[in-house]
Amino acid sequence: MSVRSFLSDVVYSAYGRRLIQQAAGRHPRHIAIMLDGNRRWAREAGFSDVSDGHRAGAKKIADFLSWCQEADVEVVTMWLLSTDNLNRDPDELTPLLKIITGVTDELAAPGKTWQLRIVGALDLLPTEVAKRLSEAAARTEGRTGMEVNVAVGYGGRQEIADAVRKLLLQHADEGTTIHELAKILDVDHISEHLYTSGQPDPDLIIRTSGEQRLSGFLLWQSAHSEFWFTEAYWPAFRRVDFLRAMRDYAWRHRRFGS
């Protein structure tokens, strides 16, 4: 290791410890993250195949989850594929789905403590892909570690439509008329049928790659979320970036509309 590299590591380590101290005392229970910028990272790194960016991004996921675990985060939601992404060219989509199923299998591997939940419209995915994702999540049932939502084939509007559909079907089976339902319907009824039902809403939503919009991510659940944006592409996202997000969250005063 060169002297310059050694000094860089020392400075980086010291800065990381300082960020941890500044974020102490308050951390989010639920972090949601939009893993954006894989394709742009690949192009700028000189790769001709954008799948190399997706592969690099997939390798970052386990690191990110370990950082969240160290910070005592209870729930993490990772957006890996949107409903809009399903319209991509098959030459890109097919390898991407393979990468996603591969990383999900890795997260569900023996020795991992995470509980996986697949959130998204699985019926929009190829049958074999949906089956592998569901089987991976099933293998983590009973684990007591951090809950990890893997959002694949996910769209915020689709989620709300699915929740309302499930609500209507439930009450139809119970014999509730539409007029009776209209009298009792409130936000909690819909929340109970969301993909993330039973979990706290995200306290902090992170988006990489410099984009500053939700793009339909967790539209219902993000009503009171804090947002943190970074220019870093997802494959280049570092622990120090994560710690900056945690520090900034700790410094914010959450009013919840009051």
Side-chain angles (χ1 to χ4, degrees):
M1 178 184 294
S2 67
V3 174
R4 181 176 180 180
S5 178
F6 173 76
L7 291 176
S8 177
D9 287 346
V10 170
V11 172
Y12 180 87
S13 178
Y15 182 49
R17 289 194 297 272
R18 181 183 178 189
L19 290 172
I20 291 172
Q21 293 171 351
Q22 292 173 334
R26 186 164 171 264
H27 65 270
R29 293 180 61 196
H30 182 172
I31 292 179
I33 184 163
M34 307 167 75
L35 316 181
D36 199 16
N38 293 311
R39 295 191 296 177
R40 279 171 283 172
W41 178 88
R43 294 188 184 107
E44 292 185 15
F47 293 102
S48 58
D49 185 355
V50 295
S51 293
D52 289 314
H54 296 308
R55 292 187 189 94
K59 292 178 181 178
K60 180 71 64 174
I61 288 174
D63 289 338
F64 177 76
L65 293 179
S66 68
W67 302 336
C68 290
Q69 210 162 24
E70 291 171 3
D72 294 325
V73 175
E74 298 172 23
V75 183
V76 175
T77 299
M78 305 182 299
W79 198 7
L80 303 188
L81 186 78
S82 72
T83 49
D84 291 337
N85 294 155
L86 294 173
N87 297 319
R88 287 183 179 176
D89 189 296
D91 289 341
E92 179 184 352
L93 182 59
T94 300
L96 176 54
L97 289 171
K98 184 177 181 180
I99 292 167
I100 289 172
T101 53
V103 75
T104 304
D105 282 337
E106 290 175 10
L107 297 179
K112 304 291 187 183
T113 61
W114 305 312
Q115 310 169 62
L116 300 188
R117 180 189 295 195
I118 309 302
V119 298
L122 292 183
D123 56 308
L124 299 180
L125 301 175
T127 303
E128 184 58 31
V129 171
K131 180 173 180 288
R132 281 190 59 184
L133 293 173
S134 297
E135 289 175 347
R139 292 196 295 274
T140 70
E141 290 180 4
R143 293 182 181 177
T144 58
M146 188 171 64
E147 296 180 63
V148 178
N149 298 326
V150 181
V152 183
Y154 176 87
R157 290 178 176 177
Q158 182 72 46
E159 178 181 23
I160 295 170
D162 285 348
V164 172
R165 186 179 301 108
K166 291 176 183 176
L167 174 66
L168 293 175
L169 289 172
Q170 174 192 326
H171 283 273
D173 290 341
E174 295 172 356
T176 309
T177 69
I178 193 69
H179 295 290
E180 292 170 335
L181 179 57
K183 290 179 181 179
I184 64 171
L185 183 64
D186 60 23
V187 295
D188 289 335
H189 287 104
I190 295 177
S191 295
E192 290 168 0
H193 292 83
L194 295 172
Y195 302 147
T196 59
S197 62
Q199 296 176 334
D201 289 340
D203 302 293
L204 175 64
I205 296 179
I206 298 172
R207 182 165 190 170
T208 59
S209 85
E211 305 293 347
Q212 298 190 22
R213 58 180 182 272
L214 274 179
S215 300
F217 187 42
L218 300 177
L219 290 176
W220 184 279
Q221 299 93 326
S222 61
H224 296 293
S225 300
E226 298 292 329
F227 299 93
W228 194 82
F229 303 104
T230 176
E231 296 290 330
Y233 297 139
W234 171 245
F237 189 79
R238 304 165 299 169
R239 182 171 178 267
V240 71
D241 298 313
F242 172 76
L243 293 175
R244 285 171 179 155
M246 297 293 283
R247 177 199 60 188
D248 289 359
Y249 173 83
W251 283 358
R252 297 182 189 183
H253 177 56
R254 305 187 72 196
R255 300 179 184 277
F256 299 97
S258 62

